[in-house]
Amino acid sequence: MGNPTRRWAELLPASLGGRILALQFAGAAAILGVGSLCAIEWAARERDAARADLAGWAVHDAMMQALDGRAPSGEFGSSSVVVRHGPGPLPADFTVQQRLPAPPSPPATLVPSDVTLWLKAGSLSDRSRATLDEAPTTRTYFTLLSRELVALNRESLLVVTLPQGPGVLRREVSTLRFESPSLWRDRLPPVSVLLSALAALGAVFVALGVASRALARPIHTLASSIDARGEEVQVPPLPETGPVEARAMARADNRLRTRLATVLADQTRMLAAVSHDLRTPSTRLRLRVELVAEAELREALLRDLDEMDEMLTEVLEFLSHEVREEAVKSVDLTALLQSVCDDYADLGRPVTFSEPPPLTFHGVPTLFASTQQTHVFQHARKVRQSCRPTALRRALCNLIDNALKYGHRADVQLDAGGDAVRIAVHDNGPGIPEDEMEKVFLPLYRLESSRQRSTGGIGLGLAIVKAVVAAHHGRIELRNRPEGGLVVSVELPRSLA
């Protein structure tokens, strides 16, 4: 059997615009449905309120017929009132008894000696009883009583006891019971109906909000996936799911990365071939240079050959995909940086390493300690980090080499937080102009005024560093120190997907 969610998704329009239109139509239909139910309920209440007068007249006419000696039929007043003779047993669910004031009557007119109302719950309010006291006639009395019973929203049973004595024609008809199942019935009060309608509308809007989020989820997922992949090209293709627009975006991104991967692979193969072809004559030239008798000319030629080999090596290293192909490992970053700095220090280079500062916790005042306490853990911190260790070591070496060439020393600092680690390399050089901060990351870009060919490389060091940092989903920042020198800050997330 297929996935039910997938089957429902197949019923939706293919385009995002069509799905938005379908969502709008569904929302409008739901709102109209709730409104229609409310309108039907209010129309029924208005209809019952209008029929309440007929029920009151039917009660009055049935009572008058009984007083005249005629037995009223079981259904009275267009079937709106059911009349039963005698008190009879009351239903078990009628538990509330309320005696009502006697209706008014002109002199020498027979009126009920007792009017009793039975209810399942609730009772007539004092306002309703006062309204009955003000009724001018018996018919008005029962009309007002029927209206109050309709507004009470409770199933009601009206018991009328007829008078006994001289002048009464039919003594055996002494008690009448009146019921109106179509009018005096259990029904939600208006406030409950209003709250139910508001709750239904709230549920509709919540459902629309959830549906809107589900509608936008493929776009958000696609954007997150593209952002997470960053500049990498050797990645699995994005799934082409969702509306037509999302599938088109995923397809375009997959095609673009495939083309980029093909171009980069072609460039790498071409440069590898060029490198192989150049290294062969370079080796022959190096052998022939050794035969040059003049020492000064021989040393100059060898320097040129060394510089050419270095350029070829750096270009191939920058264009290779070794950074992204290296497996991600969890390493002791503190030990990794310490070993790199120790290697430079063993060669007599002015390179230092500062471990992360000790953990510090600030307590909060409590009932037992009213002052804030600070706890410092002095033991060494081991920072574990998921990274590509070989690529990260190469990037750090490039930063240290730059600091030594142009800043005469390198001070490496490490700090770690809950979400990221920060590596900073300080030097004592002239710094970099603010308008050149971003340009130095471009391949083959050099600052001619301060970094001469004789002391610097070909302009690929920082470009390689930026590629390594991007492969770790991190960021790199350059900042001139007020006291002089440059600070290169690298921030890497604690986890690498």
Side-chain angles (χ1 to χ4, degrees):
M1 296 179 63
N3 189 353
T5 304
R6 183 179 298 275
R7 290 202 303 267
W8 278 107
E10 293 175 353
L11 299 178
L12 296 175
S15 66
L16 183 61
R19 295 187 179 186
I20 293 176
L21 183 62
L23 181 62
Q24 292 175 341
F25 178 79
I31 294 174
L32 287 176
V34 174
S36 299
L37 292 177
C38 292
I40 292 173
E41 175 64 21
W42 288 114
R45 289 174 182 271
E46 293 294 331
R47 183 181 65 251
D48 292 347
R51 292 172 56 199
D53 292 350
L54 298 177
W57 297 344
V59 171
H60 175 267
D61 294 344
M63 187 190 67
M64 290 296 104
Q65 289 186 13
L67 290 175
D68 290 340
R70 293 174 293 168
S73 60
E75 295 181 354
F76 207 88
S78 301
S79 302
S80 61
V81 174
V82 178
V83 185
R84 290 188 175 89
H85 300 271
L90 293 174
D93 50 356
F94 283 92
T95 57
V96 179
Q97 180 186 22
Q98 190 173 12
R99 295 187 178 278
L100 303 180
S105 62
T109 302
L110 296 174
V111 296
S113 60
D114 185 63
V115 179
T116 305
L117 180 64
W118 289 87
L119 303 167
K120 290 184 176 181
S123 61
L124 289 181
S125 63
D126 294 337
R127 181 194 60 80
S128 299
R129 295 174 64 90
T131 301
L132 296 177
D133 288 336
E134 297 175 358
T137 64
T138 305
R139 171 168 287 188
T140 305
Y141 173 92
F142 285 108
T143 299
L144 294 176
L145 178 59
S146 180
R147 292 178 184 175
E148 296 295 337
L149 295 181
V150 170
L152 189 61
N153 302 312
R154 290 290 183 269
E155 187 174 349
S156 307
L157 176 64
L158 185 63
V159 179
V160 177
T161 302
L162 301 180
Q164 300 292 321
V168 178
L169 300 179
R170 299 288 296 274
R171 293 178 178 270
E172 62 273 13
V173 182
S174 60
T175 303
L176 296 177
R177 288 195 304 166
F178 299 93
E179 300 175 15
S180 183
S182 62
L183 297 178
W184 308 340
R185 65 179 188 272
D186 290 334
R187 188 168 44 190
L188 288 176
V191 175
S192 299
V193 174
L194 179 60
L195 293 178
S196 300
L198 293 178
L201 289 176
V204 169
F205 284 115
V206 170
L208 290 177
V210 173
S212 299
R213 291 179 62 87
L215 191 64
R217 188 178 297 115
I219 306 298
H220 289 299
T221 302
L222 178 62
S224 301
S225 300
I226 294 176
D227 184 66
R229 289 148 64 101
E231 300 176 359
E232 298 185 15
V233 293
Q234 298 293 346
V235 292
L238 289 173
E240 299 179 7
T241 59
V244 172
E245 294 80 0
R247 294 199 295 268
M249 292 174 61
R251 193 179 304 112
D253 183 78
N254 291 334
R255 287 199 301 264
L256 175 62
R257 292 180 188 271
T258 301
R259 288 197 298 268
L260 289 176
T262 303
V263 170
L264 290 177
D266 292 342
Q267 289 181 350
T268 302
R269 287 193 297 268
M270 179 187 67
L271 288 174
V274 171
S275 174
H276 179 272
D277 293 342
L278 288 178
R279 288 185 189 279
T280 300
S282 173
T283 303
R284 291 199 301 266
L285 284 175
R286 189 177 298 275
L287 293 175
R288 293 171 182 173
V289 166
E290 295 293 340
L291 301 177
V292 176
E294 186 178 349
E296 183 177 353
L297 177 60
R298 184 173 62 251
E299 294 297 329
L301 292 174
L302 288 175
R303 284 197 301 269
D304 290 339
L305 289 173
D306 291 339
E307 183 178 352
M308 184 177 66
D309 289 340
E310 181 182 356
M311 292 175 60
L312 288 174
T313 301
E314 290 188 13
V315 170
L316 285 175
E317 181 182 6
F318 174 72
L319 292 176
S320 67
H321 292 277
E322 183 182 355
V323 175
R324 297 182 177 90
E325 293 176 353
E326 183 182 357
V328 176
K329 300 179 182 178
S330 178
V331 300
D332 185 349
L333 190 59
T334 305
L336 176 64
L337 299 186
Q338 182 71 66
S339 65
V340 172
C341 295
D342 289 344
D343 291 342
Y344 280 93
D346 292 342
L347 297 176
R349 311 301 298 275
V351 177
T352 63
F353 173 67
S354 299
E355 294 185 353
L359 291 175
T360 303
F361 293 93
H362 300 284
V364 296
T366 63
L367 295 175
F368 305 99
S370 59
T371 59
Q372 183 176 358
Q373 297 181 351
T374 301
H375 304 277
V376 180
F377 296 84
Q378 296 295 345
H379 62 278
R381 293 176 58 186
K382 291 186 177 181
V383 178
R384 303 293 301 182
Q385 172 70 9
S386 296
C387 65
R388 298 177 172 94
T390 302
L392 193 59
R393 178 186 288 270
R394 182 188 306 128
L396 181 62
C397 291
N398 285 352
L399 293 179
I400 294 177
D401 289 338
N402 281 350
L404 293 176
K405 288 177 183 177
Y406 313 115
H408 314 299
R409 66 174 294 108
D411 298 318
V412 182
Q413 298 178 359
L414 174 64
D415 194 8
D419 56 346
V421 296
R422 286 165 287 277
I423 304 172
V425 180
H426 299 248
D427 64 37
N428 294 333
I432 297 178
E434 295 293 335
D435 57 346
E436 302 284 346
M437 290 289 188
E438 294 297 328
K439 296 180 181 179
V440 294
F441 292 111
L442 298 175
L444 305 178
Y445 185 84
R446 295 165 35 247
L447 295 175
E448 295 295 340
S449 61
S450 60
R451 303 189 176 190
Q452 298 298 324
R453 181 98 177 173
S454 59
T455 58
I458 63 172
L460 288 176
L462 288 179
I464 294 174
V465 173
K466 186 175 182 181
V468 172
V469 173
H472 287 79
H473 308 304
R475 63 186 186 91
I476 184 171
E477 179 184 11
L478 305 180
R479 185 177 71 257
N480 291 318
R481 295 194 299 171
E483 63 273 19
L486 181 69
V487 179
V488 182
S489 300
V490 176
E491 183 174 298
L492 305 177
R494 292 307 298 264
S495 62
L496 182 60

